[in-house]
Every structure is written in C-alpha cells, then in structure tokens.
PDB file of all heavy atoms in Angstrom:
ATOM      1  N   LEU A 244       8.696 -92.434  40.792  1.00 94.00           N
ATOM      2  CA  LEU A 244       8.361 -91.056  41.142  1.00 94.00           C
ATOM      3  C   LEU A 244       8.945 -90.059  40.149  1.00 94.00           C
ATOM      4  O   LEU A 244       8.320 -89.037  39.859  1.00 94.00           O
ATOM      5  CB  LEU A 244       8.839 -90.733  42.559  1.00 94.00           C
ATOM      6  CG  LEU A 244       7.979 -91.274  43.701  1.00 94.00           C
ATOM      7  CD1 LEU A 244       8.384 -90.636  45.025  1.00 94.00           C
ATOM      8  CD2 LEU A 244       6.493 -91.066  43.467  1.00 94.00           C
ATOM      9  N   ARG A 245      10.124 -90.349  39.613  1.00 94.00           N
ATOM     10  CA  ARG A 245      10.687 -89.422  38.633  1.00 94.00           C
ATOM     11  C   ARG A 245       9.829 -89.384  37.368  1.00 94.00           C
ATOM     12  O   ARG A 245       9.513 -88.306  36.844  1.00 94.00           O
ATOM     13  CB  ARG A 245      12.128 -89.808  38.286  1.00 94.00           C
ATOM     14  CG  ARG A 245      12.786 -88.825  37.305  1.00 94.00           C
ATOM     15  CD  ARG A 245      14.280 -89.090  37.155  1.00 94.00           C
ATOM     16  NE  ARG A 245      14.885 -88.062  36.333  1.00 94.00           N
ATOM     17  CZ  ARG A 245      15.021 -88.144  35.004  1.00 94.00           C
ATOM     18  NH1 ARG A 245      14.612 -89.224  34.357  1.00 94.00           N
ATOM     19  NH2 ARG A 245      15.587 -87.166  34.322  1.00 94.00           N
ATOM     20  N   GLU A 246       9.438 -90.548  36.882  1.00 94.00           N
ATOM     21  CA  GLU A 246       8.603 -90.583  35.678  1.00 94.00           C
ATOM     22  C   GLU A 246       7.231 -89.985  35.958  1.00 94.00           C
ATOM     23  O   GLU A 246       6.685 -89.234  35.136  1.00 94.00           O
ATOM     24  CB  GLU A 246       8.501 -92.012  35.164  1.00 94.00           C
ATOM     25  CG  GLU A 246       9.820 -92.538  34.619  1.00 94.00           C
ATOM     26  CD  GLU A 246       9.769 -94.007  34.221  1.00 94.00           C
ATOM     27  OE1 GLU A 246       8.662 -94.593  34.240  1.00 94.00           O
ATOM     28  OE2 GLU A 246      10.828 -94.566  33.895  1.00 94.00           O
ATOM     29  N   ALA A 247       6.657 -90.310  37.122  1.00 96.00           N
ATOM     30  CA  ALA A 247       5.345 -89.753  37.464  1.00 96.00           C
ATOM     31  C   ALA A 247       5.410 -88.233  37.551  1.00 96.00           C
ATOM     32  O   ALA A 247       4.465 -87.540  37.131  1.00 96.00           O
ATOM     33  CB  ALA A 247       4.867 -90.343  38.791  1.00 96.00           C
ATOM     34  N   ALA A 248       6.506 -87.696  38.089  1.00 97.00           N
ATOM     35  CA  ALA A 248       6.633 -86.245  38.201  1.00 97.00           C
ATOM     36  C   ALA A 248       6.502 -85.575  36.840  1.00 97.00           C
ATOM     37  O   ALA A 248       5.755 -84.596  36.675  1.00 97.00           O
ATOM     38  CB  ALA A 248       7.984 -85.891  38.844  1.00 97.00           C
ATOM     39  N   HIS A 249       7.206 -86.115  35.858  1.00 96.00           N
ATOM     40  CA  HIS A 249       7.160 -85.516  34.521  1.00 96.00           C
ATOM     41  C   HIS A 249       5.794 -85.690  33.866  1.00 96.00           C
ATOM     42  O   HIS A 249       5.289 -84.773  33.195  1.00 96.00           O
ATOM     43  CB  HIS A 249       8.261 -86.110  33.649  1.00 96.00           C
ATOM     44  CG  HIS A 249       9.630 -85.630  33.997  1.00 96.00           C
ATOM     45  ND1 HIS A 249      10.163 -84.465  33.494  1.00 96.00           N
ATOM     46  CD2 HIS A 249      10.573 -86.135  34.828  1.00 96.00           C
ATOM     47  CE1 HIS A 249      11.372 -84.282  33.986  1.00 96.00           C
ATOM     48  NE2 HIS A 249      11.651 -85.281  34.805  1.00 96.00           N
ATOM     49  N   LEU A 250       5.178 -86.835  34.086  1.00 96.00           N
ATOM     50  CA  LEU A 250       3.883 -87.077  33.448  1.00 96.00           C
ATOM     51  C   LEU A 250       2.761 -86.298  34.120  1.00 96.00           C
ATOM     52  O   LEU A 250       1.845 -85.813  33.448  1.00 96.00           O
ATOM     53  CB  LEU A 250       3.583 -88.575  33.455  1.00 96.00           C
ATOM     54  CG  LEU A 250       4.544 -89.386  32.563  1.00 96.00           C
ATOM     55  CD1 LEU A 250       4.389 -90.876  32.821  1.00 96.00           C
ATOM     56  CD2 LEU A 250       4.314 -89.073  31.096  1.00 96.00           C
ATOM     57  N   PHE A 251       2.812 -86.140  35.438  1.00 97.00           N
ATOM     58  CA  PHE A 251       1.861 -85.248  36.104  1.00 97.00           C
ATOM     59  C   PHE A 251       2.016 -83.827  35.569  1.00 97.00           C
ATOM     60  O   PHE A 251       1.017 -83.121  35.328  1.00 97.00           O
ATOM     61  CB  PHE A 251       2.086 -85.254  37.617  1.00 97.00           C
ATOM     62  CG  PHE A 251       1.346 -86.325  38.363  1.00 97.00           C
ATOM     63  CD1 PHE A 251       2.029 -87.245  39.146  1.00 97.00           C
ATOM     64  CD2 PHE A 251      -0.040 -86.409  38.313  1.00 97.00           C
ATOM     65  CE1 PHE A 251       1.351 -88.230  39.849  1.00 97.00           C
ATOM     66  CE2 PHE A 251      -0.733 -87.389  39.015  1.00 97.00           C
ATOM     67  CZ  PHE A 251      -0.037 -88.303  39.786  1.00 97.00           C
ATOM     68  N   ALA A 252       3.263 -83.396  35.379  1.00 97.00           N
ATOM     69  CA  ALA A 252       3.498 -82.049  34.855  1.00 97.00           C
ATOM     70  C   ALA A 252       2.908 -81.893  33.456  1.00 97.00           C
ATOM     71  O   ALA A 252       2.319 -80.853  33.127  1.00 97.00           O
ATOM     72  CB  ALA A 252       4.990 -81.734  34.849  1.00 97.00           C
ATOM     73  N   GLU A 253       3.040 -82.943  32.633  1.00 96.00           N
ATOM     74  CA  GLU A 253       2.449 -82.896  31.288  1.00 96.00           C
ATOM     75  C   GLU A 253       0.937 -82.765  31.344  1.00 96.00           C
ATOM     76  O   GLU A 253       0.321 -82.196  30.432  1.00 96.00           O
ATOM     77  CB  GLU A 253       2.832 -84.153  30.506  1.00 96.00           C
ATOM     78  CG  GLU A 253       4.277 -84.194  30.051  1.00 96.00           C
ATOM     79  CD  GLU A 253       4.597 -85.451  29.267  1.00 96.00           C
ATOM     80  OE1 GLU A 253       3.651 -86.186  28.903  1.00 96.00           O
ATOM     81  OE2 GLU A 253       5.793 -85.714  29.030  1.00 96.00           O
ATOM     82  N   ARG A 254       0.325 -83.281  32.399  1.00 96.00           N
ATOM     83  CA  ARG A 254      -1.129 -83.192  32.544  1.00 96.00           C
ATOM     84  C   ARG A 254      -1.575 -81.904  33.231  1.00 96.00           C
ATOM     85  O   ARG A 254      -2.747 -81.749  33.565  1.00 96.00           O
ATOM     86  CB  ARG A 254      -1.657 -84.398  33.314  1.00 96.00           C
ATOM     87  CG  ARG A 254      -1.570 -85.699  32.527  1.00 96.00           C
ATOM     88  CD  ARG A 254      -2.350 -86.819  33.203  1.00 96.00           C
ATOM     89  NE  ARG A 254      -2.387 -88.025  32.376  1.00 96.00           N
ATOM     90  CZ  ARG A 254      -3.168 -89.079  32.617  1.00 96.00           C
ATOM     91  NH1 ARG A 254      -3.992 -89.081  33.655  1.00 96.00           N
ATOM     92  NH2 ARG A 254      -3.144 -90.125  31.814  1.00 96.00           N
ATOM     93  N   GLY A 255      -0.644 -81.006  33.470  1.00 96.00           N
ATOM     94  CA  GLY A 255      -1.015 -79.700  34.001  1.00 96.00           C
ATOM     95  C   GLY A 255      -0.783 -79.502  35.472  1.00 96.00           C
ATOM     96  O   GLY A 255      -1.068 -78.417  36.013  1.00 96.00           O
ATOM     97  N   TRP A 256      -0.246 -80.511  36.176  1.00 97.00           N
ATOM     98  CA  TRP A 256       0.046 -80.367  37.586  1.00 97.00           C
ATOM     99  C   TRP A 256       1.312 -79.529  37.773  1.00 97.00           C
ATOM    100  O   TRP A 256       2.251 -79.604  36.970  1.00 97.00           O
ATOM    101  CB  TRP A 256       0.251 -81.725  38.247  1.00 97.00           C
ATOM    102  CG  TRP A 256      -0.984 -82.572  38.319  1.00 97.00           C
ATOM    103  CD1 TRP A 256      -1.504 -83.362  37.339  1.00 97.00           C
ATOM    104  CD2 TRP A 256      -1.860 -82.712  39.440  1.00 97.00           C
ATOM    105  NE1 TRP A 256      -2.640 -83.995  37.768  1.00 97.00           N
ATOM    106  CE2 TRP A 256      -2.890 -83.612  39.065  1.00 97.00           C
ATOM    107  CE3 TRP A 256      -1.869 -82.176  40.734  1.00 97.00           C
ATOM    108  CZ2 TRP A 256      -3.921 -83.979  39.932  1.00 97.00           C
ATOM    109  CZ3 TRP A 256      -2.887 -82.542  41.596  1.00 97.00           C
ATOM    110  CH2 TRP A 256      -3.895 -83.426  41.193  1.00 97.00           C
ATOM    111  N   ASP A 257       1.346 -78.748  38.834  1.00 97.00           N
ATOM    112  CA  ASP A 257       2.548 -78.030  39.252  1.00 97.00           C
ATOM    113  C   ASP A 257       3.285 -78.971  40.203  1.00 97.00           C
ATOM    114  O   ASP A 257       2.812 -79.253  41.312  1.00 97.00           O
ATOM    115  CB  ASP A 257       2.138 -76.735  39.960  1.00 97.00           C
ATOM    116  CG  ASP A 257       3.323 -75.866  40.342  1.00 97.00           C
ATOM    117  OD1 ASP A 257       4.467 -76.249  40.041  1.00 97.00           O
ATOM    118  OD2 ASP A 257       3.101 -74.816  40.967  1.00 97.00           O
ATOM    119  N   VAL A 258       4.447 -79.471  39.782  1.00 98.00           N
ATOM    120  CA  VAL A 258       5.112 -80.559  40.503  1.00 98.00           C
ATOM    121  C   VAL A 258       6.438 -80.096  41.085  1.00 98.00           C
ATOM    122  O   VAL A 258       7.305 -79.593  40.364  1.00 98.00           O
ATOM    123  CB  VAL A 258       5.356 -81.775  39.582  1.00 98.00           C
ATOM    124  CG1 VAL A 258       6.033 -82.903  40.352  1.00 98.00           C
ATOM    125  CG2 VAL A 258       4.033 -82.266  38.977  1.00 98.00           C
ATOM    126  N   ASP A 259       6.572 -80.286  42.396  1.00 98.00           N
ATOM    127  CA  ASP A 259       7.855 -80.119  43.078  1.00 98.00           C
ATOM    128  C   ASP A 259       8.354 -81.492  43.506  1.00 98.00           C
ATOM    129  O   ASP A 259       7.582 -82.290  44.063  1.00 98.00           O
ATOM    130  CB  ASP A 259       7.717 -79.270  44.346  1.00 98.00           C
ATOM    131  CG  ASP A 259       7.663 -77.781  44.070  1.00 98.00           C
ATOM    132  OD1 ASP A 259       7.567 -77.393  42.886  1.00 98.00           O
ATOM    133  OD2 ASP A 259       7.691 -77.010  45.046  1.00 98.00           O
ATOM    134  N   VAL A 260       9.629 -81.768  43.262  1.00 98.00           N
ATOM    135  CA  VAL A 260      10.286 -82.929  43.849  1.00 98.00           C
ATOM    136  C   VAL A 260      11.117 -82.437  45.021  1.00 98.00           C
ATOM    137  O   VAL A 260      11.958 -81.553  44.862  1.00 98.00           O
ATOM    138  CB  VAL A 260      11.170 -83.660  42.817  1.00 98.00           C
ATOM    139  CG1 VAL A 260      12.066 -84.689  43.509  1.00 98.00           C
ATOM    140  CG2 VAL A 260      10.313 -84.339  41.762  1.00 98.00           C
ATOM    141  N   LEU A 261      10.850 -82.992  46.192  1.00 98.00           N
ATOM    142  CA  LEU A 261      11.606 -82.657  47.401  1.00 98.00           C
ATOM    143  C   LEU A 261      12.449 -83.872  47.739  1.00 98.00           C
ATOM    144  O   LEU A 261      11.915 -84.948  48.027  1.00 98.00           O
ATOM    145  CB  LEU A 261      10.655 -82.333  48.554  1.00 98.00           C
ATOM    146  CG  LEU A 261       9.499 -81.370  48.251  1.00 98.00           C
ATOM    147  CD1 LEU A 261       8.635 -81.172  49.482  1.00 98.00           C
ATOM    148  CD2 LEU A 261      10.020 -80.035  47.734  1.00 98.00           C
ATOM    149  N   THR A 262      13.759 -83.725  47.700  1.00 98.00           N
ATOM    150  CA  THR A 262      14.612 -84.896  47.827  1.00 98.00           C
ATOM    151  C   THR A 262      15.929 -84.528  48.506  1.00 98.00           C
ATOM    152  O   THR A 262      16.154 -83.374  48.872  1.00 98.00           O
ATOM    153  CB  THR A 262      14.849 -85.532  46.447  1.00 98.00           C
ATOM    154  OG1 THR A 262      15.473 -86.814  46.592  1.00 98.00           O
ATOM    155  CG2 THR A 262      15.722 -84.642  45.565  1.00 98.00           C
ATOM    156  N   THR A 263      16.785 -85.507  48.656  1.00 97.00           N
ATOM    157  CA  THR A 263      18.074 -85.289  49.310  1.00 97.00           C
ATOM    158  C   THR A 263      19.137 -84.889  48.286  1.00 97.00           C
ATOM    159  O   THR A 263      18.925 -84.936  47.072  1.00 97.00           O
ATOM    160  CB  THR A 263      18.541 -86.557  50.041  1.00 97.00           C
ATOM    161  OG1 THR A 263      18.944 -87.531  49.066  1.00 97.00           O
ATOM    162  CG2 THR A 263      17.434 -87.139  50.908  1.00 97.00           C
ATOM    163  N   CYS A 264      20.300 -84.568  48.811  1.00 97.00           N
ATOM    164  CA  CYS A 264      21.467 -84.300  47.966  1.00 97.00           C
ATOM    165  C   CYS A 264      22.274 -85.569  47.703  1.00 97.00           C
ATOM    166  O   CYS A 264      23.356 -85.507  47.121  1.00 97.00           O
ATOM    167  CB  CYS A 264      22.374 -83.265  48.631  1.00 97.00           C
ATOM    168  SG  CYS A 264      21.632 -81.634  48.836  1.00 97.00           S
ATOM    169  N   ALA A 265      21.767 -86.715  48.133  1.00 95.00           N
ATOM    170  CA  ALA A 265      22.508 -87.967  48.019  1.00 95.00           C
ATOM    171  C   ALA A 265      22.230 -88.650  46.687  1.00 95.00           C
ATOM    172  O   ALA A 265      21.156 -88.504  46.097  1.00 95.00           O
ATOM    173  CB  ALA A 265      22.134 -88.909  49.164  1.00 95.00           C
ATOM    174  N   SER A 266      23.204 -89.445  46.226  1.00 91.00           N
ATOM    175  CA  SER A 266      22.996 -90.316  45.067  1.00 91.00           C
ATOM    176  C   SER A 266      23.270 -91.775  45.417  1.00 91.00           C
ATOM    177  O   SER A 266      22.721 -92.673  44.792  1.00 91.00           O
ATOM    178  CB  SER A 266      23.880 -89.883  43.890  1.00 91.00           C
ATOM    179  OG  SER A 266      25.253 -90.007  44.223  1.00 91.00           O
ATOM    180  N   ASP A 267      24.117 -92.025  46.412  1.00 88.00           N
ATOM    181  CA  ASP A 267      24.522 -93.379  46.797  1.00 88.00           C
ATOM    182  C   ASP A 267      23.672 -93.849  47.972  1.00 88.00           C
ATOM    183  O   ASP A 267      23.671 -93.217  49.036  1.00 88.00           O
ATOM    184  CB  ASP A 267      26.002 -93.387  47.170  1.00 88.00           C
ATOM    185  CG  ASP A 267      26.546 -94.783  47.426  1.00 88.00           C
ATOM    186  OD1 ASP A 267      25.945 -95.518  48.234  1.00 88.00           O
ATOM    187  OD2 ASP A 267      27.583 -95.131  46.831  1.00 88.00           O
ATOM    188  N   HIS A 268      22.963 -94.962  47.791  1.00 85.00           N
ATOM    189  CA  HIS A 268      22.054 -95.431  48.843  1.00 85.00           C
ATOM    190  C   HIS A 268      22.778 -96.251  49.910  1.00 85.00           C
ATOM    191  O   HIS A 268      22.130 -96.761  50.833  1.00 85.00           O
ATOM    192  CB  HIS A 268      20.915 -96.249  48.243  1.00 85.00           C
ATOM    193  CG  HIS A 268      21.332 -97.573  47.687  1.00 85.00           C
ATOM    194  ND1 HIS A 268      22.066 -97.692  46.538  1.00 85.00           N
ATOM    195  CD2 HIS A 268      21.130 -98.833  48.123  1.00 85.00           C
ATOM    196  CE1 HIS A 268      22.299 -98.975  46.290  1.00 85.00           C
ATOM    197  NE2 HIS A 268      21.745 -99.691  47.236  1.00 85.00           N
ATOM    198  N   HIS A 269      24.084 -96.400  49.795  1.00 84.00           N
ATOM    199  CA  HIS A 269      24.865 -97.031  50.858  1.00 84.00           C
ATOM    200  C   HIS A 269      25.410 -95.985  51.832  1.00 84.00           C
ATOM    201  O   HIS A 269      25.293 -96.141  53.049  1.00 84.00           O
ATOM    202  CB  HIS A 269      26.016 -97.849  50.270  1.00 84.00           C
ATOM    203  CG  HIS A 269      25.574 -99.031  49.478  1.00 84.00           C
ATOM    204  ND1 HIS A 269      24.945-100.112  50.040  1.00 84.00           N
ATOM    205  CD2 HIS A 269      25.657 -99.295  48.142  1.00 84.00           C
ATOM    206  CE1 HIS A 269      24.671-101.012  49.098  1.00 84.00           C
ATOM    207  NE2 HIS A 269      25.093-100.537  47.945  1.00 84.00           N
ATOM    208  N   THR A 270      26.006 -94.924  51.304  1.00 91.00           N
ATOM    209  CA  THR A 270      26.622 -93.913  52.166  1.00 91.00           C
ATOM    210  C   THR A 270      25.683 -92.745  52.479  1.00 91.00           C
ATOM    211  O   THR A 270      25.851 -92.082  53.496  1.00 91.00           O
ATOM    212  CB  THR A 270      27.877 -93.343  51.507  1.00 91.00           C
ATOM    213  OG1 THR A 270      27.508 -92.591  50.329  1.00 91.00           O
ATOM    214  CG2 THR A 270      28.845 -94.453  51.116  1.00 91.00           C
ATOM    215  N   TRP A 271      24.758 -92.458  51.582  1.00 93.00           N
ATOM    216  CA  TRP A 271      23.876 -91.293  51.701  1.00 93.00           C
ATOM    217  C   TRP A 271      24.685 -90.008  51.833  1.00 93.00           C
ATOM    218  O   TRP A 271      24.232 -89.030  52.431  1.00 93.00           O
ATOM    219  CB  TRP A 271      22.891 -91.460  52.861  1.00 93.00           C
ATOM    220  CG  TRP A 271      21.956 -92.608  52.629  1.00 93.00           C
ATOM    221  CD1 TRP A 271      22.044 -93.852  53.177  1.00 93.00           C
ATOM    222  CD2 TRP A 271      20.826 -92.624  51.760  1.00 93.00           C
ATOM    223  NE1 TRP A 271      21.029 -94.657  52.697  1.00 93.00           N
ATOM    224  CE2 TRP A 271      20.266 -93.926  51.839  1.00 93.00           C
ATOM    225  CE3 TRP A 271      20.212 -91.680  50.930  1.00 93.00           C
ATOM    226  CZ2 TRP A 271      19.144 -94.304  51.114  1.00 93.00           C
ATOM    227  CZ3 TRP A 271      19.090 -92.053  50.216  1.00 93.00           C
ATOM    228  CH2 TRP A 271      18.566 -93.348  50.302  1.00 93.00           C
ATOM    229  N   ALA A 272      25.877 -90.003  51.248  1.00 94.00           N
ATOM    230  CA  ALA A 272      26.697 -88.792  51.257  1.00 94.00           C
ATOM    231  C   ALA A 272      26.081 -87.743  50.333  1.00 94.00           C
ATOM    232  O   ALA A 272      25.426 -88.061  49.330  1.00 94.00           O
ATOM    233  CB  ALA A 272      28.113 -89.116  50.799  1.00 94.00           C
ATOM    234  N   ASN A 273      26.308 -86.486  50.662  1.00 96.00           N
ATOM    235  CA  ASN A 273      25.773 -85.392  49.843  1.00 96.00           C
ATOM    236  C   ASN A 273      26.607 -85.254  48.570  1.00 96.00           C
ATOM    237  O   ASN A 273      27.775 -84.877  48.623  1.00 96.00           O
ATOM    238  CB  ASN A 273      25.787 -84.092  50.644  1.00 96.00           C
ATOM    239  CG  ASN A 273      24.793 -84.132  51.784  1.00 96.00           C
ATOM    240  OD1 ASN A 273      23.593 -84.274  51.564  1.00 96.00           O
ATOM    241  ND2 ASN A 273      25.289 -84.037  53.011  1.00 96.00           N
ATOM    242  N   ALA A 274      26.002 -85.571  47.442  1.00 94.00           N
ATOM    243  CA  ALA A 274      26.699 -85.542  46.159  1.00 94.00           C
ATOM    244  C   ALA A 274      26.259 -84.358  45.295  1.00 94.00           C
ATOM    245  O   ALA A 274      26.990 -83.960  44.389  1.00 94.00           O
ATOM    246  CB  ALA A 274      26.451 -86.846  45.406  1.00 94.00           C
ATOM    247  N   TYR A 275      25.078 -83.825  45.536  1.00 95.00           N
ATOM    248  CA  TYR A 275      24.567 -82.675  44.786  1.00 95.00           C
ATOM    249  C   TYR A 275      24.532 -81.464  45.716  1.00 95.00           C
ATOM    250  O   TYR A 275      24.379 -81.604  46.934  1.00 95.00           O
ATOM    251  CB  TYR A 275      23.137 -82.933  44.299  1.00 95.00           C
ATOM    252  CG  TYR A 275      22.956 -84.149  43.438  1.00 95.00           C
ATOM    253  CD1 TYR A 275      22.482 -85.334  43.989  1.00 95.00           C
ATOM    254  CD2 TYR A 275      23.222 -84.116  42.072  1.00 95.00           C
ATOM    255  CE1 TYR A 275      22.285 -86.460  43.202  1.00 95.00           C
ATOM    256  CE2 TYR A 275      23.031 -85.237  41.279  1.00 95.00           C
ATOM    257  CZ  TYR A 275      22.564 -86.409  41.856  1.00 95.00           C
ATOM    258  OH  TYR A 275      22.371 -87.520  41.077  1.00 95.00           O
ATOM    259  N   PRO A 276      24.627 -80.271  45.176  1.00 96.00           N
ATOM    260  CA  PRO A 276      24.480 -79.083  46.025  1.00 96.00           C
ATOM    261  C   PRO A 276      23.022 -78.912  46.452  1.00 96.00           C
ATOM    262  O   PRO A 276      22.106 -79.231  45.699  1.00 96.00           O
ATOM    263  CB  PRO A 276      24.933 -77.944  45.113  1.00 96.00           C
ATOM    264  CG  PRO A 276      24.713 -78.447  43.719  1.00 96.00           C
ATOM    265  CD  PRO A 276      24.948 -79.926  43.771  1.00 96.00           C
ATOM    266  N   PRO A 277      22.808 -78.410  47.654  1.00 97.00           N
ATOM    267  CA  PRO A 277      21.431 -78.126  48.062  1.00 97.00           C
ATOM    268  C   PRO A 277      20.885 -76.932  47.289  1.00 97.00           C
ATOM    269  O   PRO A 277      21.640 -76.109  46.755  1.00 97.00           O
ATOM    270  CB  PRO A 277      21.565 -77.808  49.548  1.00 97.00           C
ATOM    271  CG  PRO A 277      22.959 -77.297  49.694  1.00 97.00           C
ATOM    272  CD  PRO A 277      23.787 -78.053  48.689  1.00 97.00           C
ATOM    273  N   GLY A 278      19.567 -76.855  47.214  1.00 97.00           N
ATOM    274  CA  GLY A 278      18.951 -75.730  46.525  1.00 97.00           C
ATOM    275  C   GLY A 278      17.949 -76.177  45.490  1.00 97.00           C
ATOM    276  O   GLY A 278      17.593 -77.357  45.404  1.00 97.00           O
ATOM    277  N   THR A 279      17.507 -75.241  44.682  1.00 98.00           N
ATOM    278  CA  THR A 279      16.411 -75.460  43.741  1.00 98.00           C
ATOM    279  C   THR A 279      16.917 -75.423  42.314  1.00 98.00           C
ATOM    280  O   THR A 279      17.632 -74.494  41.917  1.00 98.00           O
ATOM    281  CB  THR A 279      15.322 -74.395  43.937  1.00 98.00           C
ATOM    282  OG1 THR A 279      14.863 -74.427  45.292  1.00 98.00           O
ATOM    283  CG2 THR A 279      14.151 -74.649  43.003  1.00 98.00           C
TER     284      THR A 279
END
C-alpha cells in the first residue's frame, strides 16, 4: 500500500493514507503523533 500510494500519486491520483499512530504490530502502541 505504501508503494501503491506513491505510484497512484505519480499517475495523477489524489492519495490520502489513513493509518494508525502505531509502528509495532505486537503492542500497537502509539509511536507517532496523530495528525496530518
């Protein structure tokens, strides 16, 4: 999905990624600040 997001954008799509603040798939702790 990350690669597709960039390649869709290159083809002219307006792309939003909607995701969590987590980086660890074991704890799902918030590692990034929320926001845009």
Side-chain angles (χ1 to χ4, degrees):
L244 282 192
R245 183 170 186 269
E246 292 175 7
H249 287 275
L250 293 168
F251 273 122
E253 287 181 11
R254 290 191 174 191
W256 292 82
D257 184 1
V258 181
D259 280 9
V260 168
L261 313 179
T262 191
T263 72
C264 296
S266 63
D267 187 308
H268 69 289
H269 294 293
T270 67
W271 296 101
N273 292 299
Y275 303 99
T279 303

